[in-house]
Structures are given as C-alpha cells and as structure tokens.
Amino acid sequence: MIVTLGVHASRADDLIEPDTLQLDPPVPLRSYVDSYGNQCQRLVAPAGRLQITSRGLVADRALPDPVLPWLEQRPVEDLPDDALIFLLGSRYCETDLLTEFAWSQFQQPCTGWERVQAICDYVNEHVHFDYGRTNPTKSAVQTFENREGVCRDFAHLAITLCRCVNIPARYCTGYLSDIEVPPPHSAMDFHAWFEAYLGDGWHVFDPRNNTPRIGRILIARGRDAADVALTTTFGPSVLESFEVWTA
C-alpha cells in the first residue's frame, strides 16, 4: 500500500506538531519522495482490518488565497521545461476531447488570470456539487457532459480546460478549513483544487468554492487524481470508513 496523507514538504516548516502516521496493527513504514515531490509512505498491509491515523498541527498565516489579476499567461515557448507536462492530457483530463470547446468559449481578449478565472466561473456555474453523483473513474469529459460531481470533478474539468488553452494546470489535494466561512458547513472532508502557471509561478484556483479561502493545507500535487491518491492498494481492499477533522 502507498499512503499519501502527510502535509506537503512546502508546508513542513509550518508544522507545530509532526503529522506522523500511526497504524493499528503496527507494521513497518518506509518513506520516499515521488516524481512530483510528494511525501509518500509504503507498507505491506496485513490481512484483516487496518486503521490508519494521521494527526498534525499546522501554523497557517490565516490569509485568504492570493488574487493577482494582473498576471499574464506565458507563451508555450517561454514556459519552463518542468511545466510542459501539465499541458498534456492525462488519465482524468482528456484535453483532446475538449480543445475545440475550450478555444471557442475562452478565447481572446480574455487572457492570463482573467482566463483562468473565467474557466473557474464556468465550472462552478455549470457543475452541480453532489456527493452521490460521482465515481472513482469519472473523468473531465464525463463531468462536462452530465454536469454533476464533487470537488475532484470540478478540479479535473477546470484543469482540462486550462490545458486546452495552453495554460499549465496541476491537480492538488489537501485539507481545507471552514475558517471565516458562514454556516451551514458541509461535512469535513479532504479537498481538491488546482494550480495554474501564470507569470513566473504557480497559483491556487478552486472551482468548487470559487472564492479565496483561509487554511488551505497542501498534501500532494500531480497531473490529476491518479497521481495523488490518498491510499493506493495493490490487491483487494475495502474502505470501511474515514473521518477528517480540520479547523
């Protein structure tokens, strides 16, 4: 089993209490860093029930996600080499099937930050959030067609549309608090968003909430959800339950 539950290395200095992984029954763990820079742990799960617990305390700056509307889109020929992979289609982001729509919907004069925000607005307005209307293999095109899903599906569709118009976009998974969000609050859960490459760096966008949020704690980044699964098993297994607490 591969487990990706720890706070990303970019937030390691913010840890007040380490987010160590605890297993019941205890089995040996080995840590490694994957090709996307994510902290992962691998183990051989015993037969029977296995409980995995991760707890940690993070000091957050308590500032909302930055909004930088002046940032421009970089021409493909000027992008850094390591950003090019995030222009390509991937398991859940079928760029070849949505390119024609993306260029017709998000063409000039909308560029840069404005273009990415227009994509987020479109996804937020056209996709209905519903926990019961998704499945583990749902792709961006399926979300585009049936207009239902969860945060994972919102992110996949927005990422795909960004890539179609030559904006590198990468999938992010992590924790998101309800700080300064008025009730009623949704059930606590892991959250998915994405980062787009604009100007000279990567910047957060969240098509599910579509508003700056406080307390976004990154776990992992990748091309799509296939790269950053919280747990990956190589054999039959059943998830009995999970609980997330973030505040």
Side-chain angles (χ1 to χ4, degrees), residues 51-82:
Q51 180 173 302
I52 303 173
T53 305
S54 179
R55 300 176 184 272
L57 183 61
V58 181
D60 191 71
R61 295 181 303 160
L63 297 175
D65 303 321
V67 177
L68 309 171
W70 57 86
L71 290 181
E72 289 295 327
Q73 177 177 345
R74 295 273 295 274
V76 174
E77 60 269 28
D78 293 338
L79 289 169
D81 296 341
D82 58 5

Side-chain angles (χ1 to χ4, degrees), residues 108-139:
Q108 303 289 352
C110 176
T111 62
W113 190 283
E114 182 183 1
R115 174 176 278 169
V116 180
Q117 186 56 58
I119 288 172
C120 290
D121 291 344
Y122 174 88
V123 174
N124 183 268
E125 292 167 6
H126 288 80
V127 180
H128 172 66
F129 184 87
D130 189 335
Y131 273 113
R133 306 298 295 178
T134 192
N135 62 73
T137 62
K138 190 170 187 178
S139 71

Side-chain angles (χ1 to χ4, degrees), residues 85-175:
I85 191 173
F86 298 106
L87 284 177
L88 307 180
S90 55
R91 168 66 180 84
Y92 295 110
C93 300
E94 313 101 307
T95 52
D96 55 331
L97 300 180
L98 288 176
T99 295
E100 184 177 351
F101 168 80
W103 278 113
S104 66
Q105 184 77 20
F106 306 108
Q107 55 187 321
Q108 303 289 352
C110 176
T111 62
W113 190 283
E114 182 183 1
R115 174 176 278 169
V116 180
Q117 186 56 58
I119 288 172
C120 290
D121 291 344
Y122 174 88
V123 174
N124 183 268
E125 292 167 6
H126 288 80
V127 180
H128 172 66
F129 184 87
D130 189 335
Y131 273 113
R133 306 298 295 178
T134 192
N135 62 73
T137 62
K138 190 170 187 178
S139 71
V141 167
Q142 291 171 314
T143 302
F144 177 76
E145 291 174 344
N146 66 30
R147 303 194 175 197
E148 296 173 319
V150 295
C151 57
R152 171 184 184 271
D153 306 311
F154 281 65
H156 281 152
L157 179 53
I159 287 168
T160 304
L161 295 174
C162 283
R163 292 177 185 174
C164 287
V165 294
N166 296 337
I167 298 175
R170 61 189 186 187
Y171 184 94
C172 299
T173 185
Y175 303 99

Side-chain angles (χ1 to χ4, degrees), residues 221-243:
R221 302 184 180 105
R223 292 169 300 174
D224 57 33
D227 293 330
V228 297
L230 300 170
T231 60
T232 302
T233 58
F234 301 91
S237 64
V238 176
L239 175 64
E240 291 186 351
S241 65
F242 75 93
E243 182 179 1

